[in-house]
Structures are given as structure tokens and as C-alpha cells.
């Protein structure tokens, strides 16, 4: 871990690091917020935040206002990038913003040339947490959350790895990527044209057969221009109702897809995670 920057924030420290990822075959940057309790020698639970299309770690850390509440609640925040980057990492040949760099979709690609680098699921679920747990004073209690493509990632990470996370939430997640333009474009290239291979990366389909009943909190803005064609929260809700899964889906009147929306409800999400994570501590 090479420290790139360190800024004091609400009595704690926001830090950016660079490291070589063996899983992604490139250099990666991620951000950590260490609440003031860390300087008092406390080990704290950790919340992983997954950002959306075109984003990096900086969008959440600079726009969501999460540090204030993380400092109060005693939560360490970790924000990875949204895709592999650097020399030799392929992107959309036409330079589109919804595929390639900034659009890793938190899955493990099986198709070339993407498979060599685009293994974001293994990076987020295994490699980065192993690094964090070796270098940062976290407990073994993990939560995960995210926005848009990152909301999709958070749900998929939790649903594919029962027992690994003690809390999960999402803002405006891509709930049914197998049946939306963003998801179909990404899945067909990363995973191939066989749609049966897509099922393991679709939150609504994973939820329908979930073995764990980890409660899920989802907030969705009703004025989100992507809700109908790209996000499809109603599909996730229907899957949950069909098996009596503990999903709380809140439709928020007037809110859109932006970080103004995320910032408006991030306190409630952090309190939700803190309650679940702190209850689990010995």
C-alpha cells in the first residue's frame, strides 16, 4: 500500500492508497476513511462502498458526506475503483462511457480480452478485504453498499457470498441487468452471448434462490430517469415477495439518480449498517 494522500475529516482521516492487484493485473487506487476512534486504539467494523458507472473512489468520498456519520458511528469506509485501469487494460473500442474503464460491473469476466483484467468481483470480495484486514484496524464485521452499477455490485456480492457480509444496502441499483441495456451490453461482452451464464450476476435472479436471509435496504428516487429502462426495482421487489425475502424498498418522491439523492439518505444507510455490524461484535 502506497499512501497517495491524507486529509483530516471530522476528526478522522481520509486516505487514498495505490497497490498492485494480482487479481486485476494492474495498479489500483482505493480510499479509506478512518474515524477518530482508530487513533484511540479501537478496531472498527468496515463498510465497503461500490460506486457507479464512470466513477472512481472520489465520487462517493467527496460528494456523499459520509465521513460525518462514519465518525459518529465508528465505521471504517473503504471505496475501491469501479474497474481495472492502466496501460494494457482494454476498454470500449469506441470510447463509450457505459463499458470498459469505469464500468467493470463487479463481475468476473470470462471472455477475452476482458478476462485478463476484469475480475472485479474477486477483487472486491477477496483481494481488497484481505489487504484491508492485514493493514487497517478493522474487525471481521463487513457491510457492503453502493450506487447504481455499484448497487448492483453490492447486492450481487452479498447474495453470492452468504455469511461474508453482516449488512447490505443499495441506492438505485441496476436490479435486473440481464434485461436492461447497460447490463446486456456489459454481460454479452464480459460473459459471452450465452444468457444462462448471466444468471449468476443478476441480483433479482440470485435473490430468487437465496439461501441466506440477510436483510436488504434499497432506496430509489422516483424521478430517476434511469428507473424504468435500466434499474427496474420492481423486478427485485417481485423476486423478494415471491420467497418472502426481507427486502425494504423505499421509493423517494422527487429524487433523481445523482449524489444529491445519495447524500440525502446516506446517514440512514450508515446507521442501518452500524446497527447490524455492531450487533454482531463480540
Amino acid at each position: 500500500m502506497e499512501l497517495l494522500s491524507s486529509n483530516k475529516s471530522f476528526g478522522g482521516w481520509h486516505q487514498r492508497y495505490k497497490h498492485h492487484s494480482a487479481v486485476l493485473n494492474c495498479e489500483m487506487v482505493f480510499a479509506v476513511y478512518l474515524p477518530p476512534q482508530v487513533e484511540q486504539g479501537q478496531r472498527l467494523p468496515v463498510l465497503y462502498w461500490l460506486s457507479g458507472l464512470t466513477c472512481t473512489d472520489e465520487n462517493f468520498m467527496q460528494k456523499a458526506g459520509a465521513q460525518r456519520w462514519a465518525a459518529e458511528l465508528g465505521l471504517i469506509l473503504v471505496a475501491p475503483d469501479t474497474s481495472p485501469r492502466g496501460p494494457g487494460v482494454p476498454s470500449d473500442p469506441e470510447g463509450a462511457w457505459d463499458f470498459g474503464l469505469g464500468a467493470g460491473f463487479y463481475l468476473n469476466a470470462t471472455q477475452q480480452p476482458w478476462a485478463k483484467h476484469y475480475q472485479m468481483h474477486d477483487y472486491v470480495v477477496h483481494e481488497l478485504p484481505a489487504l484491508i484486514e492485514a493493514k487497517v484496524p478493522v474487525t471481521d464485521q463487513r457491510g457492503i453498499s453502493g450506487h447504481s452499477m455499484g448497487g448492483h455490485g453490492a447486492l450481487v456480492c452479498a447474495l453470492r457470498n452468504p455469511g461474508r457480509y453482516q449488512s447490505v444496502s443499495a441506492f438505485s441499483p441496476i436490479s435486473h441487468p440481464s434485461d436492461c441495456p447497460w447490463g446486456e451490453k456489459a454481460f454479452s461482452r464480459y460473459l459471452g452471448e450465452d444468457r444462462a451464464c448471466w444468471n449468476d450476476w443478476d441480483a433479482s435472479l440470485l435473490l430468487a434462490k437465496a439461501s441466506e436471509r440477510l436483510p436488504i435496504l434499497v432506496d430509489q428516487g422516483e424521478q430517476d430517469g434511469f428507473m424504468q429502462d435500466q434499474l427496474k426495482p420492481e423486478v427485485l421487489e417481485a423476486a423478494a415477495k415471491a420467497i418472502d425475502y426481507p427486502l425494504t424498498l423505499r421509493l423517494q418522491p422527487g429524487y433523481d439518480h445523482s449524489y444529491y439523492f445519495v447524500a440525502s439518505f446516506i446517514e440512514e444507510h450508515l446507521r442501518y449498517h452500524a446497527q447490524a455490524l455492531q450487533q454482531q461484535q463480540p
Side-chain angles (χ1 to χ4, degrees):
M1 289 171 55
E2 176 187 345
L3 181 64
L4 300 177
S5 64
S6 185
N7 304 93
K8 194 158 191 179
S9 178
F10 294 100
W13 292 93
H14 168 265
Q15 298 177 334
R16 297 186 81 213
Y17 289 94
K18 180 172 69 174
H19 76 113
H20 177 77
S21 167
V23 168
L24 303 178
N25 291 294
C26 64
E27 297 291 313
M28 290 294 286
V29 173
F30 64 90
V32 179
Y33 177 68
L34 301 172
Q37 295 91 330
V38 168
E39 293 189 339
Q40 301 166 9
Q42 295 187 38
R43 302 181 72 85
L44 301 173
V46 58
L47 176 66
Y48 291 88
W49 174 270
L50 307 184
S51 293
L53 288 164
T54 77
C55 293
T56 68
D57 62 285
E58 294 182 293
N59 296 74
F60 174 71
M61 289 298 198
Q62 293 182 7
K63 295 180 178 180
Q67 293 91 339
R68 176 194 297 271
W69 311 114
E72 175 187 323
L73 297 167
L75 284 178
I76 290 174
L77 305 177
V78 175
D81 204 345
T82 51
S83 78
R85 297 183 194 267
V89 177
S91 190
D92 190 287
E94 299 177 356
W97 59 270
D98 58 353
F99 182 78
L101 299 184
F105 270 82
Y106 304 103
L107 51 71
N108 290 335
T110 58
Q111 305 300 302
Q112 298 300 335
W114 320 106
K116 181 178 179 181
H117 297 283
Y118 286 79
Q119 304 291 317
M120 286 297 295
H121 182 79
D122 281 354
Y123 177 72
V124 166
V125 174
H126 299 295
E127 187 181 33
L128 181 59
L131 182 64
I132 293 296
E133 289 163 16
K135 302 292 186 180
V136 179
V138 297
T139 68
D140 60 358
Q141 303 303 303
R142 311 178 193 94
I144 193 164
S145 186
H147 173 235
S148 192
M149 178 186 72
H152 143 79
L155 297 178
V156 167
C157 287
L159 290 166
R160 282 176 58 97
N161 298 277
R164 183 159 184 83
Y165 301 97
Q166 285 68 54
S167 61
V168 58
S169 74
F171 289 82
S172 313
I174 303 173
S175 296
H176 191 29
S178 297
D179 187 29
C180 78
W182 285 340
E184 289 177 315
K185 179 178 182 178
F187 283 14
S188 64
R189 297 186 184 185
Y190 291 138
L191 303 172
E193 296 294 341
D194 182 359
R195 287 177 172 258
C197 298
W198 300 5
N199 295 350
D200 289 339
W201 304 101
D202 186 306
S204 293
L205 300 178
L206 288 168
L207 187 145
K209 58 181 182 180
S211 61
E212 184 183 37
R213 289 298 188 267
L214 181 66
I216 296 174
L217 171 64
V218 173
D219 272 310
Q220 171 66 59
E222 286 191 336
Q223 297 304 308
D224 189 326
F226 300 117
M227 182 169 69
Q228 182 175 356
D229 294 334
Q230 302 282 13
L231 308 179
K232 301 191 175 184
E234 71 281 358
V235 180
L236 187 71
E237 184 176 40
K241 286 182 176 179
I243 63 167
D244 196 26
Y245 192 99
L247 168 72
T248 300
L249 172 63
R250 307 191 305 187
L251 299 178
Q252 303 293 358
Y255 286 92
D256 58 19
H257 198 69
S258 71
Y259 263 88
Y260 296 110
F261 167 54
V262 174
S264 298
F265 296 97
I266 194 64
E267 177 189 356
E268 294 180 35
H269 279 246
L270 291 190
R271 292 191 183 280
Y272 172 83
H273 286 280
Q275 182 178 19
L277 294 169
Q278 290 163 357
Q279 283 178 348
Q280 297 291 330
Q281 293 188 69

